[in-house]
Amino acid sequence: MLCASVFGREAGLAPLVEFAGVSRLLEQESARIVALFDDSARLCSVALLTLDVEGRGVALRLLATPEKKQGRGYGRRLVTRLGESTAMRVTTSDPRLEAFFTTFGFERWYRHADSDLRTGFNARSSVDSLEQAPEVVDFQSDAVLRAFKRDSSLFERHKTRFAEGLEHFTTLI
């Protein structure tokens, strides 16, 4: 659901590559999925966090709210709660998203060299420059694509899991 919501359902291989790479990060315990549910145990918002290499902070990698629940502040509530106890960062190239995340408490923003990307840090983060920030555990999208090309059964397994996950997601909202 996260990958489809963020990338779109017609985004080609991008959501599937992200799904496969993030699955590996989750297996390695380098990423966490956190969710906000309402009193009826219905999903209100979900986020994917990846750890920094030092294990002292997280990056907000993906954030999604089911379409029927958007505009009610659920994403804001989830990120705000997380940020109260966790050093966090978020990276975007979209000025509207930067302004949006600034309202969540990401108050210090730094531009990446030779890029339109900017990374914001919340108050719990002790980073005073982008150079001070520890790397975030990540995966190589190109390596995932090469693995899919080399092993069609791997591609089919991830595609099936992705489709089944989207199907199951509708029971949570």
Side-chain angles (χ1 to χ4, degrees), residues 3-69:
C3 294
S5 293
V6 171
F7 290 93
R9 293 176 187 249
E10 305 299 322
L13 284 175
L16 186 59
V17 168
E18 184 76 6
F19 175 75
V22 165
S23 295
R24 185 76 174 130
L25 293 178
L26 290 166
E27 289 169 9
Q28 296 170 345
E29 297 186 8
S30 298
R32 304 283 189 274
I33 295 175
V34 293
L36 179 69
F37 290 87
D38 64 16
D39 293 337
S40 302
R42 296 281 184 201
L43 181 68
C44 294
S45 194
V46 63
L48 174 70
L49 307 173
T50 52
L51 298 173
D52 68 33
V53 294
E54 294 177 0
R56 294 186 302 181
V58 297
L60 177 61
R61 185 175 183 112
L62 301 173
L63 175 67
T65 299
E67 194 172 322
K68 294 177 184 176
K69 297 192 177 198

Side-chain angles (χ1 to χ4, degrees), residues 141-152:
S141 298
D142 292 345
V144 175
L145 283 170
R146 285 192 304 273
F148 282 170
K149 287 179 183 177
R150 276 193 318 270
D151 185 350
S152 61

